[in-house]
Amino acid sequence: MQNASAVSCLSYYLRDLQNCCRFSKIGSKYTNNRAQLQFYRRLPAFSISSSSSISMSKKKLVWIWTENKQVMTAAVERGWNTFLFPSHRRQLADDWSAMAFISPLLIEDRQVYDGDRKLISTFSEISSPAQLEQLKPENEPADNIIVNLSDWQVIPAETIVAAFQTSHKTVLAISKTSNEAQTFLEALELGLGGVVLKVEDVESVLELKDYFDRRSEQDNILELTTAVVTRVEMVGMGDRVCVDLCNLMIPGEGILVGSFARGLFLVHSECLESNYISSRPFRVNAGPVHAYVAVPGGRTSYLSELKTGKEVIVVDQDGRQRIGIVGRVKIETRPLIIVEAKIKSNDQILCSILLQNAETVSLVTPKGGNGYKTASSIAITSLKVGDEVLLRTQGDARHTGIEIQEFVVEK
């Protein structure tokens, strides 16, 4: 069911284009093709249900188009074994099939066949509004459609996502870099059904696999532990970090921060309304510059290392996680409070965090904890010994943010 309250992303994007753009930079050239702009403006405003879980739960296809043996090997080692070959390179397909477990597909007359001559996909060049308008699910004889968006990329990709959202057919876009692939996989949040990575360098394969690994973390539920506060004390002035994301957060969500890697507290966002200050649902007043913060890939970073464009993990009370993009970091000198807590199931593990002494700074609590059935957090100014908060436990030792096995003492 389409979400009636969802804003039509495509319609908004095109209105913005109409109002703001006369010239659009495409690659290294500029276009002022009025006919093409007018076509994109006339596209229907499709309503897309907005949901990160939808976009990430549907498996994305990755096919490889290359003549480089090292690229083939790297792709197969990372689980991608569908390869495209022009019909005149059938011998290369046979040679590689003898060396590795791959599924070769041959391109003939803009159609793609497998070894049994079964039609697997069609192949379409999209370089004009007319060609894009002709691309419709009912016009395609195969379950898969490969498109080469040779001119505009973002808006045509969004149009295709909208047009095919209720179809069982899968559209894959030819991508010459991992960044292009990411653009297609995230178009209108849902993304195209997959990409054909057409490259001759191994690095593009590695970068794309890293992208998928980081995104797949969002499907994993983090185990959060209840800790009991044992100390709350003002300690003086320090340089604290406000992390402003390009993402909105809701009650119960925040980022994982701590003085020690062994225990990261779930620091709540400033999404809650108050009588004295407007909510800032994109912000987490996270702690001082030295503190660890959880980032994708099972790593940590120092808060002082965060900057525009970096990624952090946003987590809620239930351990559901997603990736947030840092839009801005503000470091300012503020009064700090130290909070120490012991793991409820193992009181030998002591964790600590320093936070700004302000009513807008909160820690996420267990559901129903501290005597409140619905509260998602407790302000640092109201926190007291005996209160329960949530944190993430992990290994102590870190080297450049990566967990390692070595002896370490942190206190």
Side-chain angles (χ1 to χ4, degrees):
M1 179 182 295
Q2 292 182 340
N3 186 347
S5 65
V7 176
S8 172
C9 299
L10 181 58
S11 179
Y12 179 87
Y13 198 132
L14 296 180
R15 286 199 303 271
D16 183 67
L17 178 68
Q18 186 174 16
N19 293 332
C20 302
C21 296
R22 289 186 60 196
F23 297 92
S24 176
K25 185 175 181 181
I26 303 173
S28 59
K29 56 185 179 181
Y30 289 80
T31 178
N32 62 344
N33 187 330
R34 291 181 178 272
Q36 190 165 353
L37 282 170
Q38 290 297 328
F39 168 79
Y40 289 125
R41 292 167 182 160
R42 292 196 305 271
L43 289 172
F46 297 95
S47 177
I48 298 290
S49 297
S50 178
S51 171
S52 297
S53 60
I54 292 176
S55 64
M56 296 314 301
S57 62
K58 186 175 180 181
K59 184 176 177 61
K60 305 290 187 179
L61 297 180
V62 176
W63 295 353
I64 307 296
W65 188 345
T66 186
E67 295 190 5
N68 185 301
K69 184 178 178 181
Q70 284 71 37
V71 171
M72 181 272 290
T73 302
V76 171
E77 289 175 347
R78 282 148 187 83
W80 297 326
N81 59 3
T82 301
F83 288 80
L84 270 67
F85 300 89
S87 57
H88 68 274
R89 298 296 284 162
R90 182 185 297 270
Q91 186 58 51
L92 179 62
D94 293 339
D95 292 343
W96 283 6
S97 297
M99 290 187 297
F101 178 73
I102 68 170
S103 299
L105 302 176
L106 294 175
I107 305 171
E108 298 181 10
D109 298 326
R110 301 204 175 279
Q111 294 190 326
V112 180
Y113 299 91
D114 65 10
D116 298 325
R117 293 292 299 173
K118 177 183 177 182
L119 179 64
I120 301 299
S121 175
T122 56
F123 190 105
S124 298
E125 294 278 352
I126 306 294
S127 58
S128 71
Q131 291 173 326
L132 180 60
E133 195 169 19
Q134 292 171 2
L135 187 68
K136 299 178 180 178
E138 60 271 19
N139 296 340
E140 299 300 324
D143 288 338
N144 303 297
I145 303 102
I146 297 173
V147 296
N148 184 21
L149 303 176
S150 56
D151 193 357
W152 287 34
Q153 291 187 338
V154 176
I155 292 180
E158 292 178 342
T159 303
I160 294 171
V161 170
F164 281 78
Q165 64 172 317
T166 58
S167 172
H168 70 278
K169 298 186 178 183
T170 301
V171 181
L172 301 91
I174 292 181
S175 311
K176 296 182 175 62
T177 67
S178 61
N179 286 336
E180 278 190 5
Q182 181 175 338
T183 296
F184 295 133
L185 293 169
E186 295 179 350
L188 274 189
E189 189 174 355
L190 295 174
L192 295 177
V195 293
V196 175
L197 190 61
K198 187 177 182 181
V199 296
E200 300 301 323
D201 63 294
V202 173
E203 191 62 30
S204 293
V205 175
L206 303 182
E207 290 174 355
L208 186 59
K209 183 58 167 63
D210 180 64
Y211 166 79
F212 274 100
D213 287 345
R214 286 184 285 116
R215 265 53 192 177
S216 66
E217 289 180 4
Q218 298 179 105
D219 296 329
N220 300 326
I221 301 296
L222 285 180
E223 182 179 351
L224 299 178
T225 301
T226 299
V228 179
V229 174
T230 59
R231 179 188 176 195
V232 181
E233 184 179 328
M234 294 184 62
V235 294
M237 304 292 285
D239 296 333
R240 71 93 175 97
V241 181
C242 265
V243 181
D244 292 347
L245 300 181
C246 301
N247 315 83
L248 298 178
M249 289 168 280
I250 61 175
E253 282 189 319
I255 62 176
L256 294 166
V257 182
S259 294
F260 308 137
R262 62 175 174 263
L264 302 180
F265 291 73
L266 187 49
V267 183
H268 201 273
S269 72
E270 294 189 6
C271 65
L272 302 177
E273 294 285 349
S274 73
N275 294 328
Y276 294 94
I277 191 169
S278 300
S279 68
R280 294 176 173 84
F282 53 84
R283 172 171 296 172
V284 178
N285 191 328
V289 288
H290 78 280
Y292 288 118
V293 58
V295 298
R299 300 188 177 202
T300 57
S301 176
Y302 294 118
L303 282 176
S304 59
E305 293 176 332
L306 295 183
K307 59 183 179 181
T308 299
K310 291 287 188 178
E311 296 178 333
V312 296
I313 297 174
V314 177
V315 184
D316 70 6
Q317 274 179 302
D318 296 315
R320 291 186 294 262
Q321 59 179 317
R322 57 191 175 97
I323 292 176
I325 307 298
V326 176
R328 172 179 55 240
V329 169
K330 294 203 307 177
I331 301 177
E332 299 163 314
T333 303
R334 295 291 187 268
L336 300 177
I337 290 178
I338 186 171
V339 177
E340 292 183 346
K342 290 187 176 180
I343 304 299
K344 194 171 184 179
S345 59
N346 183 354
D347 62 8
Q348 300 302 307
I349 300 178
L350 179 67
C351 305
S352 78
I353 186 173
L354 288 99
L355 294 166
Q356 180 183 340
N357 182 13
E359 290 86 353
T360 54
V361 182
S362 306
L363 292 173
V364 177
T365 62
K367 286 185 174 179
N370 303 318
Y372 300 99
K373 292 184 178 181
T374 59
S376 60
S377 65
I378 184 168
I380 189 72
T381 52
S382 301
L383 194 66
K384 61 184 183 301
V385 172
D387 284 338
E388 294 180 349
V389 294
L390 289 177
L391 52 81
R392 166 74 172 168
T393 60
Q394 53 191 14
D396 287 14
R398 296 268 152 172
H399 176 68
T400 62
I402 304 172
E403 184 174 339
I404 60 173
Q405 300 297 319
E406 71 169 1
F407 174 76
V408 64
V409 175
E410 288 184 314
K411 60 181 181 180

